[in-house]
Each structure stands twice: as structure tokens, then as C-alpha cells.
């Protein structure tokens, strides 16, 4: 049973690999079919037990490690429209779906755009409580892993190795997001202590570096060094965990606890192209 006694865990990539039961839940085909039937009906009925198990697992995982992975949530053969319907039904347990871009989209299918999948997507945090990713199709040739890093582990490691850099990262930074959904200019520390005593993070590698060009305060030599140290730490193998998601897998990330990115991949046109359904959520439940 989920409760408020679940405590924060700072983790390395090796920790996650060896303790998957803490963050990854497999659903059976029977569970998946029950969820699909209830989502089509628009009410919880046959899948009530699955609902309790899934809800408790997601809450506990997000409170402890900062994210939750659910395998086999959606049938890989499901159409994109049905996947959106089924996912939205399940997510109703956890919060409110919010607009994620300037066009007002509540859902977006991420795919290769003119070969940009071949470039690695750096670690960052989205500007919402929860980032939700549903894998519709993984990259057929491999790659495209979702990369995860624990804010607590990064905080503690930098604190041991470079306390001066940690102090700089705990100062206010300006992130100019003009033209994007949500707050246009965010002023926040990159690493900080949250009211519940967990270590929080807010980082967008591009906007923090380009904000001075848009009228934000200039970055000092000390700040540029802090960003370089942060990026070096994030890309250490023991920090960055690469999660391979199969079609139908769900990932829910607490943005204030876990930084995420994506490894590069080479895509193929047509039905084998990599597609990831993205949803942003705000919540007071998790």
C-alpha cells in the first residue's frame, strides 16, 4: 500500500540496473486487456484491482526514485488515437494533463525530424510536474534510449568533489523560455532542497546558456565553469542510466527529481520509425 513514509533514494546507474523491482512494473496481457476495456467504457470496472496495483506502484516509485516505468501498458498494435485515449484514462488517476507547447497541444508524438534523432538530446527538466512518455515504437536499429539521472546523486557527488560548484548551482539562474508553453522566464537554482527535504533540480542546457542573449543577466566565468562541471558529471556512466523502452511501455518522471535526455539513433521511414507519445502533467497527488 502506498503511503507518505516512502523516502527519497539517490541512485546510480548500477543501483537501477540491479534493483528494477523498485521502479519497473510488468503488466500481464490480461491486465492490459482489462485496462483497455475500462478505458473504452470510460470508467473503472473490470480493472479495479489493476488500478490499485498500478496506482500504488507509481506513487511509491516516484516518491522514492523519482520515476516509474510500467511495461506492457498498451498493446503495441494499438493505433495512436487509441493509445492516447487509453493513456489519458490511466493518467486521470495522477493529475491534470496540461499544454506542452506554444501550439496548445495536450499530447505530442515525438519522432525524428530531418535527422535530428542522430544528435544526442542533452539532460534537462521539462517545465511541468510530471513528464509522461509512452513508447509507440522504439528505434528499429537501436539507440534512442531515454537517459535518466538522479538529482540527489548528482547533488551529493558534486558536493563531495566540488563544493564550490555546488554552491554556484544552488544560486538563482535565469532560463528564458520565450515563445514556449508555460512560464516564459524561469528564475531558479539548478540544484536545491525542496520543502519535503528531497533534492530538486531545474535545468535546461540551451535556455540557461542563451538567456543572456535575450536580455538576461550575463553568465560569469564561475557560472560557465559550474555548467561544464554539471554536464561532465551527468554524462558519467555511473550517473547516466539509459532506459530501453519497448512498444507499449510507460515512463513517468518527476521533473523536479530526475533529469532526462535521449541517446542518438538512426531512424527508418515508415512504420518502423521511432515514435514516443509525450504528455505533460501537473499534480498534487504524487
Amino acid at each position: 500500500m502506498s503511503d507518505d513514509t516512502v523516502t527519497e533514494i539517490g541512485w546510480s546507474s548500477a543501483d537501477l540496473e540491479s534493483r528494477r523491482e523498485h521502479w519497473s512494473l510488468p503488466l500481464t496481457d490480461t491486465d492490459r486487456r482489462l485496462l483497455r476495456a475500462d478505458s473504452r467504457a470510460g470508467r473503472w470496472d473490470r480493472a479495479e484491482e489493476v488500478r490499485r496495483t498500478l496506482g500504488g506502484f507509481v506513487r511509491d516509485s516516484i516518491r522514492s526514485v523519482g520515476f516509474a516505468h510500467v511495461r506492457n501498458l498498451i498493446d503495441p498494435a494499438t493505433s495512436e488515437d487509441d493509445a492516447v485515449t487509453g493513456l489519458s484514462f490511466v493518467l486521470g488517476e495522477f493529475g491534470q494533463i496540461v499544454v506542452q507547447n506554444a501550439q496548445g497541444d495536450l499530447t505530442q508524438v515525438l519522432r525524428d525530424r530531418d535527422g535530428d534523432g542522430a544528435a544526442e538530446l542533452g539532460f534537462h527538466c521539462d517545465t511541468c510536474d510530471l513528464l509522461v512518455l509512452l513508447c509507440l515504437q522504439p528505434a528499429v536499429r537501436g539507440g534512442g534510449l531515454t537517459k535518466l539521472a538522479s538529482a540527489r546523486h548528482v547533488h551529493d557527488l558534486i558536493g563531495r568533489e566540488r563544493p564550490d560548484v555546488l554552491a554556484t548551482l544552488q544560486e538563482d539562474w535565469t532560463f528564458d523560455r520565450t515563445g514556449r508553453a508555460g512560464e516564459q522566464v524561469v528564475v531558479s537554482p539548478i540544484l536545491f532542497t525542496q520543502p519535503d527535504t528531497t533534492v530538486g533540480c531545474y535545468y535546461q542546457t540551451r535556455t540557461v546558456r542563451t538567456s543572456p542573449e535575450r536580455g538576461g543577466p550575463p553568465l560569469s566565468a564561475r557560472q560557465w565553469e559550474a555548467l561544464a562541471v554539471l554536464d561532465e558529471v551527468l554524462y558519467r556512466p555511473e550517473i547516466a542510466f539509459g532506459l530501453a523502452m519497448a512498444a507499449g511501455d510507460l515512463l513517468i518522471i518527476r521533473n523536479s527529481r530526475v533529469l532526462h535526455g535521449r541517446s542518438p539513433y538512426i531512424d527508418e521511414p515508415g512504420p518502423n520509425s521511432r515514435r514516443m507519445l509525450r504528455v505533460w502533467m501537473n499534480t498534487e497527488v504524487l
Side-chain angles (χ1 to χ4, degrees), residues 49-103:
E49 184 176 347
V50 183
R51 173 194 188 187
R52 290 195 297 269
T53 299
L54 181 60
F57 173 81
V58 169
R59 290 180 176 89
D60 287 352
S61 295
I62 289 180
R63 288 171 181 168
S64 59
V65 300
F67 72 95
H69 174 241
V70 181
R71 287 178 279 164
N72 197 37
L73 179 75
I74 301 290
D75 187 338
T78 298
S79 69
E80 286 187 11
D81 287 345
D82 284 347
V84 169
T85 299
L87 179 60
S88 299
F89 177 74
V90 171
L91 294 180
E93 292 290 292
F94 305 121
Q96 178 184 5
I97 296 175
V98 296
V99 169
Q100 61 179 278
N101 57 29
Q103 291 71 45

Side-chain angles (χ1 to χ4, degrees), residues 126 128-133 251-253 255 260 278-280:
D126 289 348
C128 58
D129 291 342
L130 301 177
L131 166 66
V132 180
L133 297 172
L251 179 64
I252 304 178
I253 300 172
N255 272 299
H260 68 277
R278 182 178 69 187
V279 173
W280 279 9

Side-chain angles (χ1 to χ4, degrees), residues 11-15 153 157 161 233 235-241:
W11 41 264
S12 67
S13 56
D15 293 333
H153 196 47
L157 190 150
E161 295 184 358
V233 168
Y235 284 94
R236 293 181 187 180
E238 67 270 23
I239 294 290
F241 179 76

Side-chain angles (χ1 to χ4, degrees), residues 178-216:
T178 301
R180 305 185 184 190
E183 194 172 351
Q184 299 295 281
V185 177
V186 175
V187 178
S188 171
I190 292 176
L191 294 172
F192 50 90
T193 301
Q194 303 191 90
D196 62 1
T197 73
T198 60
V199 170
C201 57
Y202 186 83
Y203 183 47
Q204 294 179 350
T205 182
R206 295 177 183 173
T207 58
V208 75
R209 286 170 167 84
T210 60
S211 288
E213 302 169 9
R214 303 185 181 188

Side-chain angles (χ1 to χ4, degrees), residues 83-260:
V84 169
T85 299
L87 179 60
S88 299
F89 177 74
V90 171
L91 294 180
E93 292 290 292
F94 305 121
Q96 178 184 5
I97 296 175
V98 296
V99 169
Q100 61 179 278
N101 57 29
Q103 291 71 45
D105 294 326
L106 293 176
T107 64
Q108 188 173 10
V109 176
L110 307 178
R111 63 183 82 226
D112 180 89
R113 304 288 184 186
D114 299 321
D116 63 358
E120 181 149 343
L121 183 61
F123 278 102
H124 61 285
C125 306
D126 289 348
T127 308
C128 58
D129 291 342
L130 301 177
L131 166 66
V132 180
L133 297 172
L134 176 68
C135 181
L136 301 175
Q137 173 65 45
V140 68
R141 299 185 186 180
L145 304 183
T146 300
K147 301 182 72 174
L148 306 169
S150 162
R152 164 64 73 177
H153 196 47
V154 170
H155 170 280
D156 292 351
L157 190 150
I158 294 177
R160 291 193 299 270
E161 295 184 358
R162 291 290 305 270
D164 59 321
V165 167
L166 179 59
T168 301
L169 295 172
Q170 291 172 327
E171 298 172 358
D172 279 344
W173 296 71
T174 299
F175 301 82
D176 191 325
R177 307 180 58 259
T178 301
R180 305 185 184 190
E183 194 172 351
Q184 299 295 281
V185 177
V186 175
V187 178
S188 171
I190 292 176
L191 294 172
F192 50 90
T193 301
Q194 303 191 90
D196 62 1
T197 73
T198 60
V199 170
C201 57
Y202 186 83
Y203 183 47
Q204 294 179 350
T205 182
R206 295 177 183 173
T207 58
V208 75
R209 286 170 167 84
T210 60
S211 288
E213 302 169 9
R214 303 185 181 188
L219 298 178
S220 66
R222 177 173 55 86
Q223 288 176 307
W224 281 111
E225 181 189 17
L227 293 178
V229 171
L230 174 61
D231 285 344
E232 186 276 323
V233 168
L234 285 170
Y235 284 94
R236 293 181 187 180
E238 67 270 23
I239 294 290
F241 179 76
L243 175 61
M245 294 177 64
D249 284 5
L250 174 71
L251 179 64
I252 304 178
I253 300 172
R254 169 69 79 176
N255 272 299
S256 64
R257 296 270 310 282
V258 176
L259 300 101
H260 68 277

